[in-house]
Each structure stands twice: as structure tokens, then as C-alpha cells.
Amino acid sequence: MKFILDVLNWKRSLLLSVTTLGILIILNFYGLYTNKFYFLKFDNYIFPLLTIVHFVFLYVFWFKIKEQEYTDTPMRNLEYSLYVIFLVYIFKTLDTFFILLSYSNYDDYIIPGTFMPIGVLMFTLYLFLLLITLVTFRHRKELIGNYNFESMNENIDSWE
């Protein structure tokens, strides 16, 4: 784990998280079986809406490090909601994996040649998103600090 944290320092993890989320939002509208983009399906907008919480957490993470601030209640709430969204990321990873496994079930149908390359790319990006999110949580703990509920009010400067 130490090697991963050294290679993916907090700046790289922040940049790679934003990049990975951006690519996955675009690929979320892509239909693997049909080789088309579907912008009018309501289901395709759930993932991009949930990633807003992730983007806000990344901004707060960056801001806290830059300003050398401590953790606070809004950041804690964001991170806890990101734990729930992390479960959605796991679901999307498994869903993409099972779609890739269904390739042999459709031998009688014409499947586009982009099915496997784009599917493997999506699966790899979802796995990387899971890893980079865990790394970001770890960097938050090391660089900003734990959520100490007993002394949380002591870090608030009421004169600002």
C-alpha cells in the first residue's frame, strides 16, 4: 500500500480521479451491444448525477490541503455519502464485468467489433476508480486528519 500511496500522491490521485470520472461519464452513455450513444435514456444520467458528490469531495479535499485546514462536519458528511456512492461504483464495475461475460451468449447476433475493447476499457476504468477513491480516502486521513468528533468544535475559528 505504501508503494501505491507514493506513486499516486494526493495531486496525482486528484487529477486521475477527475480524468477517470470524466471519461466514465462519457462512456456511461455508450451502449456496448449497439455501438451507439444514448442521451435520451434516464438511466444514463444517474451515474453523472452521483459523481457530482465525488467532484465536490475532491474540491473540498484539495481546498483543505491547500489552506491547511482541519476536517469539519460538511467534509465528513460528503465523505460518508461518497461511501454510499462507492457501492454504486462497485455495482457499475460488476455490471460491466457481467456484460463482458455475456459476450458468448449472443453468438447468433451481430455484436460490434468495439464490444470487447470498449468493454475492457470501461471495466478497467471502473476498477481504477475504485482504487483511486480508496487512495484518496487514505490521503485525506494522512494529510487532513481523522474526524475527531470530540475536538471538532475546537478547530473552528469563530472570529473569521
Side-chain angles (χ1 to χ4, degrees):
M1 184 69 174
K2 179 74 171 145
F3 175 73
I4 293 173
L5 291 175
D6 289 340
V7 171
L8 296 173
N9 61 18
W10 72 270
K11 289 181 182 180
R12 284 187 193 135
S13 66
L14 193 77
L15 181 64
L16 288 172
S17 294
V18 170
T19 305
T20 304
L21 283 170
I23 294 170
L24 284 173
I25 287 171
I26 293 169
L27 289 176
N28 187 56
F29 293 99
Y30 181 75
L32 280 174
Y33 292 118
T34 59
N35 197 21
K36 294 180 183 176
F37 284 91
Y38 296 98
F39 294 107
L40 299 178
K41 283 179 61 179
F42 175 74
D43 297 348
N44 291 344
Y45 289 94
I46 294 172
F47 180 77
L49 287 175
L50 291 176
T51 59
I52 291 173
V53 174
H54 199 143
F55 283 119
V56 171
F57 176 78
L58 292 173
Y59 171 75
V60 170
F61 174 72
W62 169 79
F63 184 79
K64 294 284 186 184
I65 291 175
K66 184 175 171 144
E67 298 296 323
Q68 297 178 350
E69 291 185 6
Y70 297 107
T71 58
D72 55 4
T73 305
M75 185 178 188
R76 179 198 64 196
N77 295 341
L78 266 175
E79 187 169 335
Y80 288 174
S81 60
L82 193 55
Y83 292 160
V84 174
I85 293 172
F86 188 79
L87 295 174
V88 174
Y89 294 164
I90 292 172
F91 170 76
K92 293 291 283 182
T93 305
L94 293 174
D95 184 46
T96 305
F97 180 69
F98 289 127
I99 288 173
L100 287 173
L101 288 180
S102 72
Y103 182 75
S104 63
N105 294 344
Y106 299 104
D107 289 337
D108 297 334
Y109 299 98
I110 298 174
I111 295 180
T114 58
F115 179 83
M116 285 307 277
I118 299 291
V120 169
L121 174 69
M122 288 173 65
F123 179 68
T124 306
L125 285 174
Y126 278 121
L127 283 177
F128 185 68
L129 180 63
L130 294 175
L131 173 73
I132 203 78
T133 304
L134 293 174
V135 167
T136 304
F137 291 153
R138 182 64 180 246
H139 282 305
R140 191 271 314 151
K141 186 176 180 181
E142 289 179 356
L143 297 172
I144 300 173
N146 290 331
Y147 296 119
N148 189 357
F149 298 110
E150 295 163 2
S151 67
M152 197 168 277
N153 291 333
E154 294 173 10
N155 297 328
I156 297 174
D157 187 5
S158 60
W159 294 99
E160 290 185 334

